[in-house]
Amino acid sequence: MGTMTIAKGINSGLRAAMERDPKVVLMGEDIGKLGGVFRVTEGLQKDFGEDRVIDTPLAEAGIVGTAIGMALRGYRPVVEIQFDGFVYPAFDHIVSQVAKMRARSLGKVKLPMVIRIPVGGGIGAVEHHSESNEAYFAHTAGLKVVCCSNAEDAYWMIQQAIETDDPVLFYEPKRRYWDKGEVAEDGAPRDLLRANVVREGTDATLIAYGPMVKTCLQAAEAAAAEGKDLEVIDLRSLSPLDVPALTESVRKTGRAVVVHEASTFLGMGAEIAATLQQECFYSLEAPVMRVGGYNLPYPPSKLEEEFLPDLDRVLDAVDRSLAF
């Protein structure tokens, strides 16, 4: 058991995967000599060489397109999209080719590739550097979409994603990169596609993923001081959703609040709320509440604290739920 940051957890997970399998190749803008803008891949090119940690041109469509060809040839490429909002030039490749290849070939062709995407705001950056676009890809059949929230999951989930024969979009909460946590490198990882109850409670369920898990845990601590017992679930997998874990919790608590940075309009919370209303109708004591960003383009950095969900907005939703 050791302590490391989320960024270090991903770095160590990539290193472990590359040591096990020579077919694992990393590609991305500035990931080699620089080690990535967040230093997540620092030291990997030095240790594995320029043939396996490849600095690419600034061309996301070219990066993903090249990775498709490599996957077809038996490699397991891991590509980095430098910032979340830079993924759109590669959008057509991802939703039209990456997601469809296995179904199109009736299962004969696999695309074992991982697309790493730092996600969300909170770092004082502008639009295209602070976006939460996970719903686009979770909506696309054929893609697995996951998001880590802590160092332990960062270390194990990136390795599990690389070992998966289907394409995986791997979201990394960029403002949490430097959060530290314990990592059991010799332990047994959770199933990549299963949610995790990170705090048990009885009064209401908070459902989050990525950067908002920490915010929900802080909200649960604050609520406990007022005598409210909140359960917190880290989704981990956005597509597919671990519906049994969600319904089990909500049937116990009778209330649910879904929290994410992305706009609430057609965000992940909308699907989760609809699913819970359908599956837990007779157990719900209140409507499923959603807390998220506003349906606006990402604002200038001076305003992002007003845009992003915080502890007070989560607690306000909990109070509204408990008031029913």
Side-chain angles (χ1 to χ4, degrees):
M1 184 77 71
T3 299
M4 61 181 70
T5 64
I6 289 178
K8 181 62 176 177
I10 297 168
N11 181 287
S12 298
L14 290 170
R15 180 179 294 277
M18 295 180 76
E19 288 173 346
R20 280 196 303 269
D21 186 351
K23 293 293 187 180
V24 176
V25 178
L26 312 187
M27 301 169 57
E29 300 163 6
D30 299 317
I31 70 166
K33 289 182 174 64
L34 182 65
V37 294
F38 297 105
R39 305 300 187 268
V40 173
T41 54
E42 189 169 34
L44 296 179
Q45 188 181 77
K46 174 179 174 291
D47 294 340
F48 292 96
E50 296 183 4
D51 291 338
R52 294 190 65 195
V53 183
I54 304 168
D55 280 316
T56 67
L58 306 183
E60 287 76 17
I63 295 169
V64 174
T66 301
I68 293 172
M70 294 179 71
L72 290 173
R73 294 290 293 175
Y75 290 89
R76 289 184 178 269
V78 181
V79 305
E80 178 186 291
I81 303 298
Q82 195 170 72
F83 284 93
D84 33 40
F86 295 178
V87 74
Y88 304 120
F91 190 86
D92 184 30
H93 274 320
I94 296 171
V95 302
S96 299
Q97 306 300 329
V98 174
K100 305 295 193 296
M101 190 65 71
R102 192 164 189 175
R104 184 183 299 143
S105 66
L106 300 179
K108 295 178 182 178
V109 177
K110 302 175 183 177
L111 281 184
M113 58 185 292
V114 177
I115 301 173
R116 294 180 42 239
I117 306 177
V119 68
I123 63 168
V126 294
E127 60 176 337
H128 307 314
H129 296 73
S130 303
E131 300 183 16
S132 299
N133 46 32
E134 59 272 13
Y136 290 132
F137 299 109
H139 178 76
T140 303
L143 298 175
K144 290 181 169 63
V145 183
V146 302
C147 186
C148 61
S149 69
N150 57 76
E152 172 91 5
D153 277 349
Y155 175 75
W156 286 113
M157 287 173 68
I158 190 64
Q159 295 180 69
Q160 292 168 303
I162 292 169
E163 292 170 356
T164 301
D165 284 336
D166 289 313
V168 179
L169 271 76
F170 191 90
Y171 278 96
E172 304 165 7
K174 64 172 79 79
R175 66 165 151 153
R176 306 298 188 200
Y177 270 141
W178 302 278
D179 288 2
K180 293 183 177 180
E182 291 187 341
V183 177
E185 296 181 65
D186 296 328
R190 300 180 187 88
D191 187 323
L192 177 66
L193 305 180
R194 293 290 174 262
N196 182 33
V197 179
V198 292
R199 178 190 172 105
E200 294 189 356
T202 57
D203 293 338
T205 301
L206 300 181
I207 301 167
Y209 54 90
M212 285 291 104
V213 173
K214 182 176 181 178
T215 302
C216 286
L217 286 170
Q218 292 170 337
E221 288 292 331
E226 300 175 354
K228 302 165 187 172
D229 189 17
L230 304 183
E231 184 149 297
V232 180
I233 293 181
D234 180 355
L235 280 180
R236 303 175 73 249
S237 175
L238 311 186
S239 180
L241 280 172
D242 186 0
V243 174
L246 301 181
T247 55
E248 180 181 356
S249 176
V250 173
R251 285 176 182 140
K252 177 179 68 173
T253 66
R255 292 175 168 84
V257 177
V258 190
V259 185
H260 51 63
E261 284 193 15
S263 300
T264 54
F265 183 73
L266 292 179
M268 288 296 305
E271 174 63 27
I272 294 168
T275 299
L276 291 176
Q277 301 275 29
Q278 177 177 297
E279 300 296 326
C280 303
F281 183 80
Y282 291 107
S283 300
L284 287 169
E285 301 291 340
V288 178
M289 303 292 180
R290 292 180 291 157
V291 180
Y294 302 110
N295 194 29
L296 299 166
Y298 200 87
S301 58
K302 289 184 178 180
L303 297 175
E304 71 176 348
E305 288 188 9
E306 302 297 325
F307 178 82
L308 295 172
D310 59 11
L311 181 148
D312 288 335
R313 281 167 62 185
V314 174
L315 291 176
D316 177 69
V318 170
D319 288 342
R320 285 187 284 118
S321 178
L322 292 172
F324 270 86

